[in-house]
Amino acid sequence: MAAYRPPVLPPSEITPQEIWLDRRRLLAGAVAAGLVAPAIASGKALAAPLEAAKGGYDPGEPLTPQKDVTSYNNFYEFGSGKSDPARNSGDFKPEPWALEVGGLVAKPKSFDLDALRGLGLEERVYRMRCVEAWSMVIPWIGLPISALLDQVEPLASAKYVAFETVVRPEEMSGQRGAFQPLDWPYVEGLRLDEARHPLAILAMGLYGETLPNQNGAPVRLVVPWKYGFKGAKSLVKITLTEKEPPSTWNLLAPHEYGFYANVNPEVDHPRWSQASERRIGAGGFFGSDRRPTLPFNGYAEEVASLYAGMDLRAKY
Ligand code: MTE
């Protein structure tokens, strides 16, 4: 994965964090009053405001500034540099959209974006840990994957959930040209019980707004106790399977990236330590905020029981 290059989005295109914080206070007030938060007018927004109820799980840590969340990430369909997704995703068209859900289910179904939003969006602040040893705290808006699975009724034989992302070379410059770093589509997988865990969501927004293209518009996976590469972006297909599905980074380098990819400070990446992480946007970009990495990224109390009796060194 490529080294850090400075963000390229002009500051004028980024919603100031203070505006979002004001919105967030408003949202909290509305929820406290027993109301679902209203859509909130934005100043200069990257994407449209999105209504959501308050979902809990806030770790209570300072948020990573919105400009960092939206300008420093990986999305190889738009290039392999950290600033490429923000720079190159302007032509991508996330609407209209169809997410096909099928495989070992009683009622396969295609969901458009309204149907997904109708399953109930919540705002949840999650600590996120990238395999490259940096981390962020992001206010996502999304729906529990289990709400979607309930709609299609998985069969008893379904043991895993496979995720597949979009292939559109005409809109995604990283899918064109002579050198392609990954095979497309980008694929990921979870065990069914992991996918059904209440912390696992399909995100459709962040910072009170519709998901920007570079963060995986219009709908992407977010699993906060796993390394960030599990968070497949721009999902077009979800398939319930009996066998463990393939995952992109595991196919590329199986000795470096496992299927489980649970955040684990005790199991180093073959080329670097996973014991600590750099919190982006806190104390500057260049390493002054380094903190210990927590087992399961701090969500052990919620998720460790999913892995009872498993050797987490072998199943990394
Ligand atoms: N999804 C797709 N479709 N393509 C990608 O290249 N990169 C992954 C993941 N999802 C990727 C993807 C990796 S390596 C990371 S670290 C996260 O997205 C980073 O993005 P985020 O900070 O917006 O979560």
Side-chain angles (χ1 to χ4, degrees):
M1 298 184 196
Y4 170 65
R5 283 185 279 141
V8 294
L9 264 192
S12 61
E13 295 208 352
I14 294 163
T15 305
Q17 195 181 3
E18 313 80 67
I19 292 180
W20 181 83
L21 286 173
D22 279 351
R23 282 195 224 135
R24 201 166 174 235
R25 267 176 231 123
L26 221 159
L27 193 75
V31 171
L35 305 166
V36 172
I40 301 151
S42 65
K44 192 153 171 52
L46 275 167
L50 197 60
E51 291 185 34
K54 191 87 191 145
Y57 292 115
D58 190 333
E61 295 171 17
L63 298 170
T64 302
Q66 186 175 8
K67 68 173 171 39
D68 296 324
V69 176
T70 57
S71 62
Y72 182 84
N73 63 5
N74 291 319
F75 198 167
Y76 282 71
E77 286 86 335
F78 296 112
S80 56
K82 294 282 179 280
S83 51
D84 287 343
R87 182 170 42 204
N88 299 332
S89 62
D91 290 338
F92 184 68
K93 295 178 193 64
E95 285 194 59
W97 196 261
L99 174 61
E100 309 285 339
V101 189
L104 299 174
V105 301
K107 296 183 175 164
K109 193 174 164 185
S110 175
F111 294 82
D112 65 17
L113 296 181
D114 280 342
L116 291 174
R117 292 182 196 113
L119 296 176
L121 295 179
E122 292 179 357
E123 190 200 55
R124 295 165 170 216
V125 181
Y126 282 166
R127 208 184 282 117
M128 304 296 294
R129 170 63 156 77
C130 181
V131 75
E132 294 166 302
W134 44 267
S135 62
M136 297 190 183
V137 179
I138 301 180
W140 296 107
I141 292 177
L143 56 113
I145 302 174
S146 61
L148 181 82
L149 296 176
D150 287 344
Q151 299 288 310
V152 297
E153 298 177 15
L155 303 177
S157 53
K159 298 286 181 281
Y160 293 90
V161 187
F163 298 86
E164 190 177 310
T165 83
V166 75
V167 180
R168 282 191 198 166
E170 63 286 7
E171 293 176 26
M172 305 178 109
S173 53
Q175 291 181 334
R176 301 193 289 264
F179 176 70
Q180 312 256 327
L182 301 175
D183 282 337
W184 316 112
Y186 193 100
V187 291
E188 258 306 338
L190 295 171
R191 240 173 35 199
L192 180 55
D193 59 340
E194 296 181 308
R196 276 209 176 276
H197 191 281
L199 278 169
I201 59 171
L202 296 174
M204 300 184 75
L206 55 79
Y207 264 103
E209 295 168 357
T210 302
L211 213 52
N213 285 350
Q214 64 268 34
N215 291 90
V219 56
R220 50 92 44 98
L221 182 59
V222 172
V223 192
W225 71 93
K226 293 180 182 279
Y227 291 118
F229 67 86
K230 294 298 278 188
K233 295 172 169 174
S234 306
L235 296 169
V236 291
K237 200 170 181 186
I238 294 181
T239 309
L240 283 281
T241 66
E242 198 171 349
K243 296 215 163 60
E244 186 179 288
S247 56
T248 287
W249 287 99
N250 179 254
L251 290 172
L252 191 79
H255 56 295
E256 299 196 350
Y257 309 106
F259 174 78
Y260 281 92
N262 292 319
V263 174
N264 189 344
E266 289 175 13
V267 176
D268 287 339
H269 184 281
R271 290 181 282 134
W272 59 81
S273 165
Q274 294 291 22
S276 68
E277 66 204 52
R278 185 167 55 94
R279 179 62 54 86
I280 300 289
F285 256 98
F286 297 102
S288 56
D289 189 294
R290 194 156 263 290
R291 58 184 73 206
T293 286
L294 302 170
F296 299 105
N297 201 25
Y299 297 98
E301 211 173 293
E302 288 89 350
V303 303
S305 61
L306 291 171
Y307 310 101
M310 266 175 65
D311 177 352
L312 297 178
R313 285 188 177 274
K315 299 282 185 186
Y316 58 92

